[in-house]
Amino acid sequence: MPQTQTRLVPDFDAWNAAKHSLNGPHGTIAWWREGEGRPLLLIHGFPTASLDWAKVWPGLLASGRQVIALDMLGFGFSDKPACRYDLIEQADLQLALLGHLGVQACDILTHDYGVSVTQELLARQDEGQLPVRIDKVVFLNGGLFPDQHRARLIQKLLNSPLGGLVSQGVNRRAFTRSFSAVFGPDTQPDREEIDLFWALLSHKNGHRRGHRLIRYIEDRKLHAARWEAALRTQTSRIAMINGSLDPVSGRHLADRFAQLFPSAPLTRLNVGHYPQWEDADGVLSAVLEYLGPA
């Protein structure tokens, strides 16, 4: 794995070259693992991929952990078939990778779309249906509570009957506008960063799959009661790091989390939707403090 410094933009080709492959039911899944310590599973968000974690990866590795991540189906360097994407199946892929690696217990650091995948894993654990043990979970910005998710216009359009047409019109300019809008005012992505994330999104024609991937919004509503029940029974396992300036799942989400789970650790950072990118050092410090020694 390329040893990216938090102040630098990761290298697209180097990250791609470092990947491993796992065959899934709908295509090939890209994954990464480094280190030999206690397993920490990183689960990425929409519409990006595991490259999101590049700025915190070296620090997590240096803490003595075994760091594991995959690009979910439809994202990043994994295959992007023209199919209906499902959060339940994305959770299955996480378990398939952990099983492939022989992992029996792990902690999880999760963001955005990955938050919902993690909630499915916690619900299965709550029901005694999980083949591994999840010990601690750190949530970043994401749709933890569907009623607190403030979808952007592009998300609403992709999730509408016009979604297919909207996907066909996605280009770098439109992506730049919508992507930058969820970052903090002082941590805006520069041109090099936009180039990186656009390359990641458009790889394997992924920018034409947004209307299929966005169905996770409906999946969240469908499973909301079950997932929130699992949070309540496993409150001792969870913590949150929140970018307060995120218009989608920022301060308002953290306020609800604090109200429902007052004993759970909560760190607020003065950034937007991508804390692990906008303030990698702040995220790394909070994650390691909560997880404790490897």
Side-chain angles (χ1 to χ4, degrees):
M1 181 64 59
Q3 294 298 294
T4 305
Q5 298 298 314
T6 59
R7 67 183 180 277
L8 299 178
V9 175
D11 185 271
F12 179 90
D13 292 328
W15 197 268
N16 188 19
K19 73 178 185 298
H20 304 275
S21 297
L22 180 72
N23 291 327
H26 300 292
T28 301
I29 302 302
W31 62 273
W32 297 259
R33 178 183 66 165
E34 196 171 9
E36 299 296 333
R38 176 167 182 76
L40 174 62
L41 178 64
L42 312 180
I43 308 182
H44 69 78
F46 171 92
T48 48
S50 294
L51 192 60
D52 285 0
W53 304 112
K55 290 188 175 186
V56 296
W57 188 287
L60 295 172
L61 188 64
S63 73
R65 285 169 171 77
Q66 178 185 173
V67 187
I68 302 166
L70 62 77
D71 284 352
M72 287 180 275
L73 188 70
F75 295 88
F77 295 109
S78 290
D79 283 349
K80 300 174 178 178
C83 67
R84 199 307 191 174
Y85 293 88
D86 184 277
L87 287 171
I88 304 302
E89 292 183 356
Q90 303 283 24
D92 291 341
L93 290 176
Q94 305 292 337
L95 294 176
L97 177 58
L98 293 178
H100 176 73
L101 298 176
V103 172
Q104 298 180 335
C106 68
D107 300 317
I108 297 178
L109 173 60
T110 186
H111 175 242
D112 189 78
Y113 186 98
V115 165
S116 300
V117 173
T118 303
Q119 286 183 272
E120 171 60 23
L121 295 175
L122 284 173
R124 294 187 197 183
Q125 179 160 275
D126 200 42
E127 296 158 357
Q129 300 296 319
L130 201 66
V132 300
R133 186 183 74 246
I134 299 172
D135 288 326
K136 291 185 176 181
V137 174
V138 181
F139 294 109
L140 300 184
N141 297 52
L144 199 61
F145 314 111
D147 65 324
Q148 294 297 301
H149 181 255
R150 298 176 180 175
R152 306 296 290 174
L153 177 59
I154 184 62
Q155 292 175 306
K156 293 177 181 178
L157 290 173
L158 286 171
N159 199 33
S160 75
L162 298 176
L165 291 175
V166 174
S167 282
Q168 295 308 306
V170 171
N171 54 32
R172 188 189 183 282
R173 182 178 180 181
F175 169 74
T176 300
R177 184 171 56 251
S178 61
F179 190 64
S180 300
V182 299
F183 278 67
D186 298 324
T187 51
Q188 285 286 296
D190 61 24
R191 177 172 294 184
E192 187 178 6
E193 291 171 311
I194 292 293
D195 286 344
L196 175 69
F197 283 108
W198 173 247
L200 194 66
L201 176 64
S202 59
H203 186 65
K204 296 186 179 181
N205 218 31
H207 58 306
R208 301 292 182 242
R209 299 288 181 254
H211 64 297
R212 297 180 183 275
L213 289 165
I214 202 68
R215 300 303 178 186
Y216 72 85
I217 292 177
E218 304 308 317
D219 289 343
R220 282 175 174 170
K221 295 174 183 177
L222 178 63
H223 298 286
R226 175 170 161 265
W227 289 353
E228 290 186 30
L231 290 178
R232 294 180 186 278
T233 59
Q234 300 181 78
T235 302
S236 63
R237 300 182 186 276
I238 65 175
M240 176 177 283
I241 302 170
N242 182 260
S244 298
L245 304 183
D246 172 17
V248 179
S249 53
R251 183 177 292 107
H252 59 285
L253 174 73
D255 290 345
R256 173 65 67 86
F257 182 85
Q259 178 185 24
L260 294 178
F261 310 114
S263 63
L266 169 60
T267 300
R268 300 174 188 257
L269 300 175
N270 197 39
V271 296
H273 186 70
Y274 286 85
Q276 74 274 34
W277 192 269
E278 299 174 66
D279 186 3
D281 291 337
V283 168
L284 185 62
S285 176
V287 168
L288 296 181
E289 180 179 357
Y290 174 62
L291 294 183

